Amino acid sequence: KEYLKFKNSSTQEMFPNNDIFTKFKDLYKVWDDAAMICMETILSEIVTKSKKDKKEKEEKKNDDNEDESGIEYLTSNEDRENIRKFGGIHASISLIHYFKNLCDKEDEEKVLETEDDKLKNRTLEVPLGKHVDTGLMTLITCSDVAGLEVLDRKTNKYYYPEKIFDPTKHIFVIAGRKMELFSWKKVIKPTWHAVRIPLETERNSLLY
């Protein structure tokens, strides 16, 4: 696979030409705005305060994250503002191209020795195995070539969301490990996912 990556610190010299650089720069702004909206929506969810929180409230009256109603936001305004600052430095968008990886019939006879190897060559490739992302979250476009697998925790099985959603309308928000750290009041676990495509298939994936 190959990819192009853009972040705030990227320069024109890092890209094949100025037109591509400008398009990535404009695209980054759109995706960064979308990501910050997603972050704000998720981490400003209202949750019920625990008994410990209520006791601390009596000792600290002016916290902007709490009120007298017995509820509070999942994270503080300060945490969300720090995430925005961190994202401005480290966030990026990447366009990933997965090449087809199928041996030709002639090459297959030369390279692959067993029938099992030949069968695997004609089925699926896993260019990106099952994993969770290390950051806060990842936004991934819905591709017209289904390959993204996501774990359904209720059934403990992986499924292809791109077979259900529209590639011209939808993106997927993948929670990372840091999301679990920030959402300790109501834990949002990281999303297990992978990419699995037929070996003779090429795929493009745009992600933030």
Side-chain angles (χ1 to χ4, degrees):
K1 64 183 179 181
E2 67 176 1
Y3 67 90
L4 282 172
K5 175 181 278 191
F6 179 94
K7 56 193 305 184
N8 261 340
S9 58
S10 296
T11 61
Q12 182 181 332
E13 291 74 22
M14 299 176 178
F15 289 79
N17 57 59
N18 184 56
D19 186 47
I20 293 176
F21 171 76
T22 301
K23 288 180 179 179
F24 264 78
K25 185 176 181 179
D26 293 341
L27 193 59
Y28 173 84
K29 178 63 169 62
V30 173
W31 276 70
D32 188 58
D33 289 344
M36 292 303 102
I37 291 172
C38 288
M39 180 276 293
E40 187 72 31
T41 301
I42 295 168
L43 294 182
S44 63
E45 179 183 354
I46 293 176
V47 296
T48 303
K49 286 187 286 191
S50 67
K51 292 181 179 179
K52 180 181 178 181
D53 290 332
K54 291 176 181 178
K55 183 177 179 181
E56 290 178 350
K57 173 62 181 177
E58 295 175 0
E59 301 171 357
K60 186 178 181 182
K61 297 291 184 180
N62 297 320
D63 192 320
D64 65 354
N65 189 44
E66 301 185 7
D67 57 27
E68 302 293 342
S69 63
I71 59 176
E72 62 183 336
Y73 295 121
L74 187 58
T75 59
S76 67
N77 287 335
E78 182 181 4
D79 281 344
R80 297 196 297 278
E81 185 58 34
N82 286 334
I83 290 171
R84 289 189 194 92
K85 292 176 181 177
F86 183 86
I89 300 172
H90 298 285
S92 65
I93 57 170
S94 297
L95 177 63
I96 304 175
H97 180 78
Y98 297 95
F99 292 97
K100 59 183 178 181
N101 197 28
L102 183 69
C103 288
D104 294 330
K105 193 72 177 176
E106 183 179 341
D107 293 332
E108 186 181 87
E109 296 299 328
K110 296 177 182 177
V111 177
L112 305 178
E113 297 180 356
T114 69
E115 288 302 316
D116 284 343
D117 288 337
K118 293 176 183 178
L119 178 62
K120 290 176 183 177
N121 179 53
R122 302 189 191 106
T123 53
L124 295 176
E125 178 192 14
V126 186
L128 193 60
K130 297 173 182 177
H131 68 286
V132 294
D133 294 338
T134 58
L136 184 73
M137 63 183 183
T138 304
L139 274 59
I140 304 176
T141 51
C142 180
S143 175
D144 56 358
V145 178
L148 177 65
E149 287 187 313
V150 176
L151 176 65
D152 181 346
R153 285 198 175 87
K154 290 186 177 180
T155 62
N156 202 34
K157 294 180 180 179
Y158 282 81
Y159 74 102
Y160 289 98
E162 289 165 325
K163 292 183 177 180
I164 304 171
F165 294 94
D166 187 341
T168 66
K169 296 180 180 179
H170 297 116
I171 62 174
F172 306 110
V173 180
I174 305 293
R177 289 193 183 277
K178 289 185 176 62
M179 183 69 78
E180 189 171 11
L181 298 177
F182 279 101
S183 63
W184 58 270
K185 294 176 183 176
K186 184 182 177 183
V187 174
I188 300 172
K189 294 184 177 180
T191 306
W192 281 92
H193 59 289
V195 175
R196 184 189 298 266
I197 55 177
L199 284 167
E200 72 277 7
T201 303
E202 295 191 50
R203 168 187 164 94
N204 289 315
S205 183
L206 180 65
L207 56 90
Y208 172 98

